[in-house]
Amino acid sequence: MSAPTAFRRRYGASPLHLLLVLASFALAVYAGLRLFEGDTVGVALWFVGAALLHDLVLLPLYSLTDRAAQALFIGGSDDGRPAARVSVNHVRVPAFVSGVLLLVWWPLILEQVGHYTAATALPADGFLARWLLITAGLFAASAVVLIVRTRQRSRSRRQARNAPHRRAGRRPRRHLEPFAPAGPPPDLPTGPWAA
């Protein structure tokens, strides 16, 4: 067994993967040390505050929102249990991208930056309207993708359902339940003496 193969078996990935992971950790440590050179206490408070805000406020908020979206897109499965549909992702993805854009640009969207025009010579107004247009565009594009996928799925299901009947030259029949007799077969004895 060669050395790279043995390494892959023990590590689970190639040596290049390990090298890239170690390089990313080194870069993160370097950035962290550079970040802490200035106001160490302020940066530490910012990290702790961000973690608490995320864990105590944002996580429950978007978990409840996701549960509500899943409740809207619940469908029945074959065994009678409710099954989550993949179409809920067509709400999750544009909401996530819109939320990230809001998180990154919120000072400009909410017009809380007074020195933006002086620093860039660009007007600071219009960011809210642009963000709303981008959000509407994301949801509209996601709705179009959902409609196209739903039509393709229904068309492929119809073709799969009709395919065996087309080959045999018969018309497709509706799905019928298999025949199940109401009692025991007539050739078996019944009663307390049949053991």
Side-chain angles (χ1 to χ4, degrees):
M1 182 180 306
S2 68
T5 306
F7 182 82
R8 185 180 292 268
R9 276 175 73 120
R10 290 183 60 84
Y11 177 65
S14 71
L16 179 62
H17 180 270
L18 178 63
L19 181 67
L20 290 174
V21 167
L22 290 176
S24 67
F25 281 142
L27 182 65
V29 167
Y30 172 74
L33 290 175
R34 294 285 301 206
L35 188 65
F36 280 116
E37 281 179 2
D39 184 16
T40 307
V41 175
V43 171
L45 284 174
W46 186 85
F47 274 118
V48 169
L52 289 175
L53 176 70
H54 176 266
D55 292 349
L56 298 178
V57 177
L58 295 178
L59 180 66
L61 183 66
Y62 63 72
S63 295
L64 286 173
T65 306
D66 186 56
R67 291 290 179 150
Q70 284 181 13
L72 291 175
F73 291 100
I74 293 291
S77 65
D78 293 339
D79 57 357
R81 294 180 301 160
R85 293 192 179 174
V86 182
S87 54
V88 74
N89 292 332
H90 292 275
V91 174
R92 282 181 183 156
V93 172
F96 173 76
V97 173
S98 177
V100 168
L101 288 174
L102 178 63
L103 183 66
V104 171
W105 297 101
W106 68 270
L108 291 172
I109 291 172
L110 300 178
E111 298 178 0
Q112 294 183 350
V113 179
H115 61 277
Y116 177 78
T117 305
T120 63
L122 296 172
D125 58 343
F127 281 93
L128 177 63
R130 291 180 196 135
W131 176 73
L132 289 172
L133 284 172
I134 290 171
T135 300
L138 287 168
F139 278 99
S142 182
V144 167
V145 170
L146 177 63
I147 289 168
V148 168
R149 284 186 177 174
T150 303
R151 286 187 179 177
Q152 286 176 345
R153 191 178 312 125
S154 64
R155 184 180 304 135
S156 65
R157 284 182 185 165
R158 272 196 312 266
Q159 289 173 350
R161 194 173 40 226
N162 296 338
H165 304 294
R166 285 185 186 160
R167 280 185 243 132
R170 296 179 293 182
R171 289 182 57 202
R173 292 188 297 172
R174 299 216 183 273
H175 175 70
L176 300 176
E177 294 296 323
F179 175 72
D187 57 339
L188 294 177
T190 59
W193 59 89

